[in-house]
């Protein structure tokens, strides 16, 4: 499983766009990139998943360059409630029976008023 | 999204006793469930993968005789912490893979275990 590296923490202000970059230099051809959000004393919540280029949903966008050695989670116009830990995970074929999620250290995002 | 429920959300037990935590997929079938442990301010650590109808696969360093996992049906997996000690106090989280629909993995709300 590819190892991921993220900034330990980030600060932002309400209304700003936040971009969290994750490095995964050893990503394999079959690996997908998935981001989760976790609030204190809660289980992680799925945010977005992608394989290449750009993926967008109602919550965030995920940018993946051509070499796929990194990815950037973009949160538009954050609010105080976006304060949480964000995890970037890399794993092969979500539909594969051997697929499992291994969490790295995550990024603690603090959104200030 | 799909719902995964854990019970109890909080439990306190005495040292030496055993405690069981349940993980249920409420609106989908899950052939595979995962159990994690998380200490305060730390990331989630995968303990084991639970497959319906077969023995769980434990990660390296996790004692299978201490953390008993049973996945008896497509909607229920249980984690039993046997002979609990204070160092077993932690936040335990389960997740379940939804068959089809991209095989997304959904997480439960977590269960706080305190061993006194």
């Amino acid at each position: 499983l590819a190892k991921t590296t993220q900034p330990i923490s980030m600060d932002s202000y309400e209304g700003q766009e936040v971009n969290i970059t994750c490095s995964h230099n050893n990503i394999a051809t079959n690996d997908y990139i998935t981001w989760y959000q976790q609030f204190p004393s809660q289980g992680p919540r799925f945010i977005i998943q992608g394989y290449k280029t750009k993926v967008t949903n109602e919550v965030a966008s995920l940018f993946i360059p051509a070499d796929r050695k990194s990815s950037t989670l973009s949160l538009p116009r954050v609010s105080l409630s976006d304060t949480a830990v964000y995890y970037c995970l890399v794993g092969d074929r979500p539909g594969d029976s051997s697929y499992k999620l291994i969490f790295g250290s995550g990024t603690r995002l603090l959104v200030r008023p | 999204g799909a719902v995964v429920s854990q019970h109890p959300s909080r439990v306190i037990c005495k040292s030496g006793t055993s405690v069981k935590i349940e993980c249920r997929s409420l609106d989908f079938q899950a052939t595979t469930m995962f159990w994690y442990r998380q200490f305060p301010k730390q990331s989630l650590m995968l303990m084991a993968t639970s497959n319906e109808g077969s023995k769980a696969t434990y990660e390296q360093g996790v004692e299978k005789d201490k953390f008993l996992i049973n996945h008896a049906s497509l909607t229920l997996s249980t984690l039993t912490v046997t002979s609990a000690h204070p160092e077993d106090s932690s936040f335990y989280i389960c997740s379940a893979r939804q068959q089809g629909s991209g095989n997304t993995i959904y997480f439960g709300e977590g269960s706080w275990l305190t061993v006194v």
Side-chain angles (χ1 to χ4, degrees):
Chain A
L1 294 170
K3 181 180 178 180
T4 60
T5 302
Q6 305 174 232
I8 295 175
S9 63
M10 294 181 68
D11 280 17
S12 183
Y13 291 92
E14 280 191 293
Q16 289 188 333
E17 177 184 79
V18 171
N19 296 308
I20 306 174
T21 298
C22 177
S23 296
H24 27 80
N25 291 318
N26 296 323
I27 190 169
T29 303
N30 294 327
D31 284 346
Y32 281 72
I33 301 157
T34 310
W35 286 80
Y36 280 82
Q37 174 193 56
Q38 187 184 27
F39 298 112
S41 296
Q42 293 186 26
R45 184 174 73 112
F46 173 86
I47 299 176
I48 199 166
Q49 183 179 78
Y51 182 79
K52 63 180 179 180
T53 61
K54 177 184 175 182
V55 180
T56 297
N57 60 23
E58 63 277 8
V59 177
S61 294
L62 178 60
F63 298 92
I64 306 169
D67 65 5
R68 304 201 325 122
K69 292 184 182 299
S70 66
S71 59
T72 299
L73 174 72
S74 181
L75 306 172
R77 297 181 298 280
V78 294
S79 63
L80 297 178
S81 62
D82 292 318
T83 293
V85 179
Y86 293 81
Y87 294 97
C88 161
L89 295 93
V90 175
D92 61 325
R93 293 193 290 267
D96 199 36
S97 61
S98 64
Y99 182 73
K100 55 186 178 183
L101 294 176
I102 303 296
F103 286 78
S105 57
T107 297
R108 291 185 176 275
L109 174 64
L110 173 62
V111 180
R112 303 177 186 275
Chain B
V3 178
V4 175
S5 178
Q6 284 185 236
H7 177 79
S9 58
R10 290 182 178 273
V11 59
I12 300 173
C13 71
K14 293 184 177 181
S15 288
T17 63
S18 296
V19 61
K20 179 185 290 186
I21 301 171
E22 294 185 345
C23 177
R24 294 181 185 273
S25 55
L26 298 185
D27 51 1
F28 66 97
Q29 292 186 333
T31 54
T32 304
M33 291 184 172
F34 306 88
W35 286 96
Y36 293 82
R37 180 167 59 180
Q38 185 176 33
F39 293 109
K41 302 292 186 183
Q42 294 187 23
S43 184
L44 289 80
M45 185 197 79
L46 179 64
M47 299 174 66
T49 301
S50 167
N51 295 297
E52 187 266 337
S54 64
K55 291 183 178 180
T57 301
Y58 290 81
E59 296 298 307
Q60 191 172 10
V62 178
E63 300 176 59
K64 62 180 182 181
D65 294 330
K66 180 170 182 61
F67 299 99
L68 302 179
I69 293 172
N70 183 277
H71 192 161
S73 77
L74 287 173
T75 60
L76 173 64
S77 176
T78 61
L79 168 68
T80 301
V81 183
T82 63
S83 186
H85 289 104
E87 56 265 33
D88 296 325
S89 298
S90 185
F91 191 51
Y92 291 87
I93 308 170
C94 76
S95 64
R97 182 183 15 243
Q98 182 181 26
Q99 289 180 283
S101 298
N103 289 280
T104 302
I105 294 177
Y106 296 94
F107 285 81
E109 318 96 317
S111 300
W112 275 108
L113 169 63
T114 302
V115 184
V116 298

